[in-house]
Amino acid sequence: AQKVTQAQTEISVVEKEDVTLDCVYETRDTTYYLFWYKQPPSGELVFLIRRNSFDEQNEISGRYSWNFQKSTSSFNFTITASQVVDSAVYFCALSEADTGNQFYFGTGTSLTVIP
Amino acid sequence: DTEVTQTPKHLVMGMTNKKSLKCEQHMGHRAMYWYKQKAKKPPELMFVYSYEKLSINESVPSRFSPECPNSSLLNLHLHALQPEDSALYLCASSRTGVVTPASPLHFGNGTRLTVT
């Protein structure tokens, strides 16, 4: 079973629009960790944000914000005022405390920001 | 700039060749990982070294042979590969052997491998 689901395969937005990337996860652990990574065409996976299961406080960091809701098992990520440099594939990922070395990636959402 | 360095950036090899991918980090991380990523797919875990010992081998064929000479270096030795092994190979490290928000995975730029 897929532990992390990113239903949006591809998204295109016009520059300066806001865009939200959806992520739904599945776990039986009470302690787990959620992450978002960005992968530009260069290939490197860049770590963006992280959250643990005990902290549902939603935060804003610059143009990035995230909405963590345990009730719906969702960890959505929003980019405000998108820029062309935001064009990349974005991966949501889950790590469970019981299997700490396992890092479950979602299938990724390819974001294209059109100038 | 990434703090996990991978060489080479690109590699083309024949099916009878022997080559090695190299990964280096100087962040004092104690766990290092090899991932394989095909186009338009998420990375797939291959191997994990925790405190210089192989802790996870995700049923990877023996034509891929990992080596961790010390806590800063990770190699992936390649021999008799198949064309379907062509992919982006990503190295990662984490501060401890457990991936948490305090110890997230840090990835390198990857090696784009083409097997002809």
Side-chain angles (χ1 to χ4, degrees), chain B residues 3-105:
Chain B
E3 295 178 85
V4 178
T5 304
Q6 290 187 243
T7 55
K9 291 185 178 180
H10 300 274
L11 178 62
V12 179
M13 60 185 291
M15 289 188 286
T16 59
N17 291 157
K18 286 185 179 181
K19 296 287 184 182
S20 296
L21 308 184
K22 297 184 183 299
C23 176
E24 189 170 2
Q25 59 87 14
H26 294 290
M27 295 179 282
H29 289 180
R30 302 312 303 270
M32 296 187 77
Y33 309 72
W34 279 116
Y35 280 84
K36 173 183 178 181
Q37 186 179 24
K38 301 286 276 186
K40 299 186 184 297
K41 298 289 186 182
E44 297 176 0
L45 182 64
M46 299 175 72
F47 302 103
V48 180
Y49 273 84
S50 183
Y51 295 86
E52 300 166 47
K53 292 186 179 179
L54 184 64
S55 60
I56 292 179
N57 176 342
E58 291 288 344
S59 302
V60 179
S62 59
R63 57 185 184 269
F64 295 93
S65 176
E67 178 195 19
C68 188
N70 59 58
S71 59
S72 299
L73 295 173
L74 184 66
N75 299 321
L76 186 62
H77 302 298
L78 314 172
H79 174 56
L81 294 194
Q82 303 297 311
E84 58 264 29
D85 296 322
S86 299
L88 178 67
Y89 288 83
L90 291 159
C91 174
S93 69
S94 61
R95 189 173 59 83
T96 69
V98 176
V99 180
T100 70
S103 177
L105 286 179

Side-chain angles (χ1 to χ4, degrees), chain A residues 10-30:
Chain A
E10 295 182 357
I11 299 177
S12 292
V13 298
V14 177
E15 197 172 22
K16 297 185 182 178
E17 287 184 347
D18 298 347
V19 57
T20 295
L21 309 182
D22 298 333
C23 174
V24 174
Y25 62 91
E26 179 183 334
T27 180
R28 293 184 177 181
D29 282 22
T30 55

Side-chain angles (χ1 to χ4, degrees), chain A residues 1 10 16 21 24 27 38 41 44 46 53 57 67 80 101:
Chain A
E10 295 182 357
K16 297 185 182 178
L21 309 182
V24 174
T27 180
K38 172 184 178 181
E44 179 192 357
V46 179
S53 53
Q57 182 177 358
N67 186 348
T80 303
N101 284 134

Side-chain angles (χ1 to χ4, degrees), chain A residues 10 29 33 46 68-69 74 82 84 98 103 108:
Chain A
E10 295 182 357
D29 282 22
Y33 315 105
V46 179
F68 176 29
Q69 293 193 353
S74 65
S82 59
V84 173
D98 285 347
F103 203 66

